[in-house]
């Protein structure tokens, strides 16, 4: 039997202020990959920790025909395969007791009709008081119609919250149109646009590092920082998602959302408090200040065949479902400038890609060199500039590269690392981002979700980049799987007399 929430050591790492109100969570797209791999395992983790409301039910909805029992059996297997905790029958039963599946045709205008009876019977059986969380784990094209239908049938009692998966639109125009459709029926406080990177512990820790420690903020600017490097490297390929990825590419899949959020959190001014709008106001200012990079400052790539972690893998064009001569990029590197007083002329070099040498998401803050090393010639040859490295994943933690004297006679200086590892400092494994985000949405806390204006600023930048890509045909593939991307990526930083952080 787990301990009550407030004393349970498993809760370390999750912010617990209160239990969410009773509610029903409706997942549209319940037959999909995300539901099985992320959403249900995250809900199970919340059930293990007794963080879900006492009165709670789940409806899985999709077009695929499935009965309640088959859905539950599939979700139970998903928990066994993907949850971070060992399987516990009692925790599963707490989750499964109010679980139903509804087969829906999304585009026929009857989606909410199909749900109505199930919602009403669950309200009656579980006392969920008409409160609803609708999770849209469906392609963006399916969202617009659904939000309208739900609004039309909106119950008179209870609150409503919409959680919307990425990608939110395909470009600025479609994102604006989707925002307009949503805003016709809902207030911004009812809308929770997911960027799961914001739910990662280490991304939130960036805020703690910057704003809970007096030592960093005075030096967090152009006077002391030479440049910033952000890497979102994945060793996996497209994992059978060609239909989506062919349309998205790395620029829409990672740059538009996860990457720009990492830039915003690194560059933002201190918010006056940690309420949703205060934090998001500061992030929007950064996004607005990002100068559109010219063609020379953006490099794109696509992987060819190669070896990743010792295994031979095929090239992107050979992946199932990818067009033979596809020009979809699987890699992007860019040099960005945040044009404000804090960051003017300080480059943010960013890169992201699939089938790179290994999985690694890092933010590296490279400080300027000491102005005058008073040591004998050659003594500090092995010394590199100070770097504060935030390991977002894996091996979550922070490392500071400093110069230290090599023990022994004379004065020789070398770079050493001071490391803080999450695993060593805290007892509990890190919660998955979706645990945090689903719970926050149930609690009505939008701090870790993207606001409509943030999304639109992100798309404006992507549209500008994609605009000049249309002028030429890239010579793809231009990097071998298992490497760190195309040569152009190195050239981008070498031109400035810098290089990507060594791996
Ligand atoms: P899948 O393709 O595996 O599943 C999509 C789901 O949406 C299915 O349940 C499908 O069900 C339903 N669906 C598909 N097309 C339509 C349509 N035109 N109208 C209504 N429903 C439709 O996708 P994922 O589960 O991987 O992704 C779902 C969403 O989450 C996407 O927006 C994706 O970008 C996002 N996402 C996914 C991640 C992942 O790791 N998988 C990571 C981050 C975001 P049915 O055909 O039965 O109706
Ligand atoms: C998703 C992208 O948003 O993020 C995927 O659609 C990518 O392509 C994934 O693999 C990476 O997430 P994480 O949490 O594994 O870094």
């Amino acid at each position: 039997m787990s301990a009550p929430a407030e004393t349970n050591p498993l809760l370390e790492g999750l912010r617990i202020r209160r239990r969410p109100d009773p509610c029903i969570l409706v997942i549209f797209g319940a037959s999909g990959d995300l539901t099985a791999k992320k959403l249900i395992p995250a809900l199970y983790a919340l059930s293990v920790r007794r963080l879900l409301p006492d009165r709670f039910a789940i409806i899985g909805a999709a077009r695929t025909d499935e009965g309640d029992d088959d859905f539950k059996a599939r979700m139970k297997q998903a928990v066994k395969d993907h949850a971070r905790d060992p399987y516990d029958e009692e925790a599963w039963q707490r989750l499964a007791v109010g679980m139903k599946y509804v087969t829906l045709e999304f585009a026929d205008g009857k989606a909410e009709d199909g749900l109505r009876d199930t919602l009403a019977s669950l309200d009656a059986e579980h006392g969920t008081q008409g409160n609803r969380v609708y999770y849209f784990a469906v392609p963006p094209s399916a969202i617009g119609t659904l939000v309208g239908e739900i609004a039309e049938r909106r119950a008179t009692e209870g609150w409503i919250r919409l959680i919307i998966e990425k990608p939110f639109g395909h470009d600025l125009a479609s994102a604006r149109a989707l925002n307009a459709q949503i805003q016709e029926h809902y207030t911004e406080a009812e809308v929770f646009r997911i960027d799961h990177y914001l739910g990662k512990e280490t991304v939130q820790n960036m805020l703690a590092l910057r704003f809970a420690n007096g030592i960093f903020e005075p030096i967090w600017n152009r006077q002391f920082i030479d440049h910033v490097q952000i890497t979102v490297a994945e060793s996996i390929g497209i994992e059978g998602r060609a239909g989506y990825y062919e349309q998205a590419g790395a620029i829409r899949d990672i740059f538009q959302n996860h990457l720009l959020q990492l830039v915003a959190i690194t560059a933002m001014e201190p918010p006056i408090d940690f309420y949703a709008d205060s934090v998001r106001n500061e992030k929007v200012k950064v996004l607005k200040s990002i100068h559109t990079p010219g063609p020379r400052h953006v490099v794109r790539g696509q992987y060819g065949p190669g070896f990743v972690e010792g295994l031979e893998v095929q090239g992107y064009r050979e992946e199932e479902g990818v067009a033979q001569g596809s020009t979809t990029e699987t890699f992007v590197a860019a040099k960005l400038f945040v044009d404000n007083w804090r960051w003017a002329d300080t480059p943010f070099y960013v890169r992201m890609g699939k089938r790179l040498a290994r999985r690694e998401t890092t933010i590296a803050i490279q400080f300027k060199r000491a102005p005058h090393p008073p040591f004998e010639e050659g003594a500090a040859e092995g010394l590199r500039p100070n770097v504060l490295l935030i390991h977002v994943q894996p091996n979550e933690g922070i490392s500071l590269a400093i110069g230290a004297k090599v023990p022994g006679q004379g004065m020789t200086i070398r770079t050493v690392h001071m490391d803080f590892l999450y695993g060593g400092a805290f007892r509990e494994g890190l919660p998955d981002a979706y645990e945090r985000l689903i719970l926050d949405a149930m609690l009505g806390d939008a701090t870790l979700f993207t606001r409509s204006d943030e999304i639109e600023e992100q798309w404006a930048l992507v549209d500008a980049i994609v605009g000049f890509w249309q002028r030429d045909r890239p010579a793809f593939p231009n990097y071998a799987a298992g490497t760190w991307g195309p040569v152009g990526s190195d050239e981008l930083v070498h031109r400035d007399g810098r290089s990507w952080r060594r791996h």
Side-chain angles (χ1 to χ4, degrees), residues 73-263:
R74 206 163 51 78
M75 293 302 105
K76 184 171 175 172
Q77 193 54 47
V79 163
K80 289 182 177 169
D81 292 345
H82 303 293
R84 69 176 168 115
D85 302 296
Y87 181 75
D88 172 61
E89 182 64 23
E90 206 186 314
W92 166 250
Q93 285 305 335
R94 277 199 297 278
L95 196 65
V97 68
M99 197 179 266
K100 298 264 182 221
Y101 184 84
V102 174
T103 305
L104 281 185
E105 230 356 286
F106 289 74
D108 66 356
K110 294 186 191 133
E112 185 64 13
D113 282 345
L115 283 174
R116 193 178 349 179
D117 291 348
T118 314
L119 285 166
S121 73
L122 286 174
D123 269 343
E125 210 176 310
H126 295 274
T128 36
Q129 301 173 2
N131 294 329
R132 310 276 186 257
V133 179
Y134 290 100
Y135 198 121
F136 294 86
V138 292
S141 55
I143 296 172
T145 343
L146 270 174
V147 286
E149 283 189 38
I150 292 164
E152 278 170 31
R153 311 284 202 286
R154 190 170 181 158
T156 43
E157 60 166 339
W159 48 249
I160 198 163
R161 285 172 195 144
L162 312 182
I163 308 181
I164 301 182
E165 257 305 331
K166 66 163 275 259
F168 191 93
H170 184 74
D171 53 15
L172 179 58
S174 56
R176 272 193 182 143
L178 188 51
N179 272 331
Q181 267 177 310
I182 293 171
Q183 285 157 353
E184 207 179 302
H185 307 287
Y186 304 96
T187 63
E188 188 62 35
E190 292 173 319
V191 185
F192 297 78
R193 297 173 194 78
I194 289 249
D195 183 318
H196 78 276
Y197 267 53
L198 294 176
K200 288 183 189 280
E201 280 293 316
T202 30
V203 174
Q204 294 162 57
N205 192 42
M206 182 70 168
L207 298 171
L209 179 80
R210 287 194 55 197
F211 306 129
N213 297 293
I215 58 169
F216 293 117
E217 206 44 30
I219 56 170
W220 206 265
N221 56 51
R222 63 193 298 274
Q223 272 177 290
F224 297 91
I225 293 175
D226 179 72
H227 71 276
V228 175
Q229 292 188 11
I230 302 183
T231 300
V232 180
E234 295 187 272
S235 54
I236 56 170
I238 54 167
E239 308 276 284
R241 296 168 73 205
Y244 156 74
Y245 201 86
E246 275 280 88
Q247 303 303 315
I251 192 105
R252 293 186 175 88
D253 187 43
I254 300 284
F255 179 93
Q256 184 270 341
N257 36 81
H258 308 325
L259 192 282
L260 287 180
Q261 285 294 329
L262 295 181
V263 172

Side-chain angles (χ1 to χ4, degrees), residues 38 196-197 200 202 231-236 308-309 353-362 391-396 432 483-484 501 503:
K38 290 290 182 184
H196 78 276
Y197 267 53
K200 288 183 189 280
T202 30
T231 300
V232 180
E234 295 187 272
S235 54
I236 56 170
V308 178
E309 286 155 0
K354 297 267 186 206
R355 285 284 190 231
L356 297 183
R358 63 162 188 269
R359 178 173 188 245
E360 173 190 311
T361 301
T362 48
H391 296 266
V392 174
Q393 60 189 23
N395 308 323
E396 290 82 356
D432 185 78
T483 64
W484 285 98
R501 216 176 48 77
H503 300 282

Side-chain angles (χ1 to χ4, degrees), residues 31 61-62 79 102 107 155 210 271 275 303 311 339 346 363 365-366 423 425 469:
S31 58
V79 163
V102 174
R210 287 194 55 197
Y275 287 109
Y303 61 86
L311 290 178
D339 286 341
T346 312
I363 303 171
I365 314 291
Q366 180 153 331
W469 281 354

